[in-house]
Amino acid sequence: MNIIETLQQRDIKPSYLRLKILEYMLARKNHPTVDMVYEELSKEIPTLSRTTVYNTFNLFLQKGLVQKLGIDDVEAHYDADISLHGHFRCDHCGKIWDLPVKTDVSQIEGLKKFEVRTIEYYAKGLCDQCQKCQRHSNK
Amino acid sequence: MNIIETLQQRDIKPSYLRLKILEYMLARKNHPTVDMVYEELSKEIPTLSRTTVYNTFNLFLQKGLVQKLGIDDVEAHYDADISLHGHFRCDHCGKIWDLPVKTDVSQIEGLKKFEVRTIEYYAKGLCDQCQKCQRHSNK
DNA sequence: TACAACTTTGTAATGATTACAATAACAATA
DNA sequence: TATTGTTATTGTAATCATTACAAAGTTGTA
Ligand SMILES: [Mn+2]
Ligand SMILES: [Mn+2]
Ligand SMILES: [Zn+2]
Ligand SMILES: [Zn+2]
């Protein structure tokens, strides 16, 4: 399915900027922040406003096209993969990886009385690259 | 173990305010924000500063006495229970519940190459009280 | 063209958190 | 006790991600 259809399927009018923003998300799969999208796309579209990126993500979020990740204290990250999966974020370099988490909601005791809308699973620590850096600097 | 010993065990000098703040955490177990602690304790201690609550939580965090919960977009919540467990937050009333999550880190595929320091598991949706409210208002 | 609906933009406001410097409390020592 | 250094607490100002809002631009239709 192409990008325009993906937008239309969620009842979102496929404007040029929405297209470019979703295209960025699907091409990079890098869990970007608003600023990452803004910095990259404004090279090509110098008139782009940060507010538009905020607006667009909020629209995508409301329409269920992306999920918002609260894995970072500072900035929100966004993910066009809305399937249930976890994330690892390196405390040192900030990069984010996907984790295959097979969580059966119905199996979690104590979750039965709630109407669950979203599930987030986050791990934080050091990636293998940064483990090496850390060891190096601690000599 | 009493509160003073709990602080000392983590290498934290048991000042009056640190004592009161930890006491609040252990008594309430309500995953408070900085403001919740400030509002409650400043009744009894009118000279208390919000900055002190921020400072104290950052110290507790650094010493591993509490964990910080990123379950809320707006404010950070803190938890004196540092055992591995998940949380449910109601989108409507904002209350937070503990979830018994039995996650064996070593069992999560794709986490092996990382040095994991923290794990967070969040579910969001509606609590049973607010499910009723919602149904009522949608009539 | 004219009009309405929607999209995009820029600026100002909001609000949680941190930075910083001044003061107060505490601890060790002479 | 007086002195001195260290740590804790406080208040204010700065930071910065996000939102509010209103103006300007775009699109589609009659
Ligand atoms: Mn992902
Ligand atoms: Mn808890
Ligand atoms: Zn790293
Ligand atoms: Zn509720």
Side-chain angles (χ1 to χ4, degrees):
Chain A
M1 187 165 42
N2 67 24
I3 298 175
I4 292 182
E5 283 168 350
T6 305
L7 288 167
Q8 285 171 337
Q9 185 189 359
R10 295 277 176 175
D11 223 20
I12 299 168
K13 289 189 185 168
S15 76
Y16 178 65
L17 292 179
R18 289 167 183 171
L19 224 105
K20 297 301 281 186
I21 291 172
L22 181 56
E23 185 184 57
Y24 174 100
M25 299 287 287
L26 296 174
R28 302 292 199 93
K29 300 190 203 308
N30 58 344
H31 308 95
T33 63
V34 163
D35 248 58
M36 286 163 72
V37 174
Y38 173 77
E39 287 301 333
E40 183 62 27
L41 291 186
S42 58
K43 289 177 194 167
E44 194 188 343
I45 309 157
T47 57
L48 180 66
S49 164
R50 251 185 201 83
T51 304
T52 300
V53 184
Y54 276 107
N55 290 342
T56 304
F57 274 144
N58 283 336
L59 178 69
F60 286 2
L61 209 55
Q62 183 202 324
K63 299 291 189 179
L65 185 58
V66 301
Q67 59 171 320
K68 189 178 189 175
L69 305 182
I71 199 172
D72 179 348
D73 292 341
V74 181
E75 287 168 288
H77 292 253
Y78 294 87
D79 193 346
D81 178 357
I82 55 167
S83 72
L84 178 58
H85 66 287
H87 294 92
F88 176 88
R89 178 174 182 276
C90 177
D91 290 331
H92 189 251
C93 67
K95 277 209 278 282
I96 295 176
W97 285 261
D98 285 318
L99 296 177
V101 172
K102 38 192 172 305
T103 310
D104 185 358
V105 179
S106 62
Q107 207 150 346
I108 296 167
E109 195 52 42
L111 212 49
K112 293 186 178 68
K113 59 177 171 181
F114 302 120
E115 179 191 317
V116 177
R117 289 174 177 166
T118 64
I119 290 190
E120 291 159 78
Y121 184 90
Y122 302 132
K124 304 180 191 179
L126 289 180
C127 73
D128 53 355
Q129 276 302 316
C130 291
Q131 284 172 52
K132 290 170 198 161
C133 293
Q134 213 78 347
R135 272 198 297 273
H136 211 272
S137 65
N138 283 350
K139 271 179 191 170
Chain B
M1 186 166 43
N2 69 24
I3 299 175
I4 292 181
E5 284 167 351
T6 306
L7 287 167
Q8 285 170 338
Q9 186 187 3
R10 295 276 175 176
D11 222 20
I12 299 168
K13 289 188 186 167
S15 75
Y16 178 66
L17 292 179
R18 289 166 183 171
L19 224 107
K20 298 301 281 185
I21 290 172
L22 181 55
E23 185 184 56
Y24 174 99
M25 298 286 289
L26 294 174
R28 303 293 198 94
K29 299 189 203 310
N30 58 345
H31 309 95
T33 63
V34 163
D35 248 59
M36 287 163 73
V37 175
Y38 173 77
E39 287 301 333
E40 184 61 27
L41 291 187
S42 58
K43 289 177 192 165
E44 193 187 342
I45 309 157
T47 57
L48 180 65
S49 162
R50 251 186 202 82
T51 304
T52 299
V53 184
Y54 277 106
N55 290 343
T56 304
F57 275 143
N58 284 336
L59 178 69
F60 286 2
L61 210 55
Q62 184 201 324
K63 298 291 189 181
L65 186 59
V66 301
Q67 59 171 320
K68 188 178 189 176
L69 305 182
I71 199 171
D72 178 347
D73 291 342
V74 181
E75 283 169 289
H77 293 252
Y78 295 86
D79 193 347
D81 178 356
I82 55 166
S83 71
L84 179 58
H85 65 286
H87 295 92
F88 176 87
R89 179 174 182 275
C90 176
D91 290 332
H92 190 249
C93 67
K95 278 208 278 283
I96 295 175
W97 284 260
D98 283 319
L99 296 177
V101 172
K102 39 192 172 305
T103 310
D104 184 0
V105 179
S106 62
Q107 206 149 348
I108 295 166
E109 195 54 40
L111 210 50
K112 292 186 180 68
K113 60 177 172 182
F114 301 119
E115 180 190 317
V116 178
R117 289 174 177 166
T118 65
I119 289 190
E120 293 160 77
Y121 183 90
Y122 302 131
K124 305 180 190 179
L126 290 179
C127 74
D128 54 354
Q129 278 300 317
C130 290
Q131 284 172 51
K132 289 170 197 159
C133 293
Q134 213 76 347
R135 273 199 296 274
H136 211 271
S137 64
N138 285 348
K139 268 178 193 169

